[in-house]
Amino acid sequence: MILILFAGSLSGCAADYLNHYDSVTLAAGDTQKYNSLLQTVDPLNPASRNTHIEGDGMRAALVAHNYKYPPPPPPPPAITVNVGGSGVTTP
């Protein structure tokens, strides 16, 4: 009986010990960045609150059309091939 009571008391300590271990996490090293962002008054760009995005509907439609149906590539440059002598004479 005493053995069961002793084992039960040790298992409670072991569970508490295993919950408090030291290890390296994925966020290790971000402390300075976190502190600077924490003390920033407003980290957002003031223009980010503007919900009225100005744009031209015709231009947006043209961009969408060119994305869906891209224009053909430009033709390759003309290549001139000379067949025959190089024009250099040797004595």
Side-chain angles (χ1 to χ4, degrees):
M1 180 70 173
I2 294 175
L3 183 60
I4 295 173
L5 183 63
F6 184 69
S9 66
L10 283 181
S11 66
C13 295
D16 188 46
Y17 174 75
L18 292 175
N19 288 333
H20 300 289
Y21 57 90
D22 295 329
S23 66
V24 178
T25 63
L26 295 175
D30 292 339
T31 305
Q32 292 176 346
K33 186 177 180 182
Y34 175 76
N35 288 340
S36 65
L37 287 175
L38 186 65
Q39 295 176 10
T40 304
V41 176
D42 189 7
L44 297 175
N45 184 357
S48 66
R49 291 191 178 99
N50 182 11
T51 58
H52 177 70
I53 300 172
E54 297 177 8
D56 186 9
M58 296 278 291
R59 183 172 169 243
L62 180 66
V63 169
H65 183 269
N66 286 341
Y67 181 76
K68 190 171 183 179
Y69 306 107
I79 299 174
T80 305
V81 178
N82 293 327
V83 178
S86 63
V88 178
T89 59
T90 56

